[in-house]
Amino acid sequence: MAYFCMNWILLILFTGPAVLGSLVKGTVGQNITVPCFYSVKTTQDITSMCWGRDSCPVSKCYRTIIWTDGWKVTEKYNSRYSLEGNLQKGDVSLTVMNAEEADSGIYCCRVEISGWFNDQTSNHKVVIEKARISTASPHTYTSEQTSAPRSASESSFAITRTWPSVSASEAPQTASGPCSGTSDCLVVTANMQNMSVSFPSQQYSENGLYIGIGLCAVLLAVLILALFL
């Protein structure tokens, strides 16, 4: 029991009241802020502090990043690190510009408070990840018609009009002239000459006229001969 108490006292004396701070996640290329505050009631409470990598040691900061005297930044070991908060009000949050994967790890915030083992320390875990690339397939967008909405029957069925086919013999032809060539005109003329149109009534009347004239001529000849005899 005495051995356990001695180890606990030595642990407090040599490590100080370190507490686990926040977990900060960020993306490569972005700015991240690791929060850290201490109480400032009067200007007498303003004090120096430091940020370092890894867990807080017994004193100071291991692998120091930045120092401030409580009023302004006095030391900076990388231009990507800065204190953007109001130092006079105890806001000593660390800002990391253009974060990289190598910035991942534990960060120590140590605020130096006068007195034995009175420093306020906190360890913060920072995780920097690469930006995720979306693997979703691209969407296909179809343009929408702006005409008036159709009825349900029109939207459900497509009306197809089928015109009857026309054969080559029935298809209308464009008349370019009375004859398409000289030979065609000759054939048409010959056919018209050979074609006769007869009417029955006209043929009968012509035959009767011829017979009557013949009889008259015969009678006239007989009469003349009788006069001379």
Side-chain angles (χ1 to χ4, degrees), residues 3 11-12 18 23 32 50 70-71 74 101 127 134 143-144 162 170 174 181 187-188 200 205 211 227:
Y3 177 77
L11 182 63
I12 294 177
L23 171 62
I32 64 169
C50 65
W71 299 91
T74 56
E101 286 188 278
V127 178
S134 177
S143 60
E144 298 181 356
T162 304
E170 297 176 352
T174 303
V187 172
V188 173
S205 61
I211 293 173
L227 290 176

Side-chain angles (χ1 to χ4, degrees), residues 168-185:
S169 59
E170 297 176 352
Q173 299 180 354
T174 303
S176 59
C179 301
S180 59
T182 305
S183 60
D184 294 340
C185 290

Side-chain angles (χ1 to χ4, degrees), residues 220-229:
L220 181 61
V222 172
L223 181 60
I224 292 174
L225 290 176
L227 290 176
F228 283 103
L229 294 177

Side-chain angles (χ1 to χ4, degrees), residues 5-214:
C5 293
M6 182 61 67
N7 288 338
W8 183 75
I9 293 172
L10 292 175
L11 182 63
I12 294 177
L13 291 176
F14 287 98
T15 60
V19 296
L20 180 62
S22 59
L23 171 62
V24 179
K25 292 184 178 181
T27 305
V28 173
Q30 295 182 346
N31 299 341
I32 64 169
T33 299
V34 186
C36 188
F37 304 88
Y38 69 96
S39 178
V40 176
K41 297 179 180 179
T42 65
T43 56
Q44 300 297 324
D45 297 328
I46 297 176
T47 183
S48 59
M49 64 83 56
C50 65
W51 277 94
R53 297 295 299 266
D54 299 331
S55 299
C56 297
V58 176
S59 63
K60 308 299 180 181
C61 291
Y62 180 68
R63 296 170 60 189
T64 305
I65 293 175
I66 198 168
W67 267 100
T68 174
D69 60 3
W71 299 91
K72 62 182 182 302
V73 174
T74 56
E75 296 180 27
K76 183 188 297 186
Y77 295 88
N78 193 312
S79 59
R80 295 192 301 115
Y81 301 126
S82 62
L83 302 179
E84 304 293 338
N86 191 332
L87 301 180
Q88 289 76 36
K89 291 187 178 181
D91 185 357
V92 290
S93 301
L94 175 68
T95 299
V96 182
M97 310 288 290
N98 192 20
E100 303 172 356
E101 286 188 278
D103 293 323
S104 298
I106 302 298
Y107 286 73
C108 168
C109 174
R110 177 182 289 274
V111 179
E112 294 184 322
I113 299 176
S114 60
W116 287 82
F117 309 108
N118 288 332
D119 290 354
Q120 174 185 312
T121 59
S122 57
N123 296 319
H124 305 263
K125 185 176 181 180
V126 174
V127 178
I128 306 299
E129 300 176 342
K130 291 183 178 179
R132 296 181 181 179
I133 301 176
S134 177
T135 58
S137 58
H139 296 282
T140 303
Y141 297 94
T142 57
S143 60
E144 298 181 356
Q145 296 181 354
T146 57
S147 59
R150 298 180 299 176
S151 63
S153 59
E154 292 178 343
S155 61
S156 301
F157 302 96
I159 300 175
T160 304
R161 296 182 179 179
T162 304
W163 297 98
S165 59
V166 180
S167 62
S169 59
E170 297 176 352
Q173 299 180 354
T174 303
S176 59
C179 301
S180 59
T182 305
S183 60
D184 294 340
C185 290
L186 293 177
V187 172
V188 173
T189 303
N191 292 334
M192 292 179 65
Q193 292 177 354
N194 295 330
M195 181 179 64
S196 61
V197 179
S198 61
F199 299 93
S201 60
Q202 292 180 356
Q203 290 179 356
Y204 293 151
S205 61
E206 289 179 356
N207 292 334
L209 178 62
Y210 294 152
I211 293 173
I213 294 174

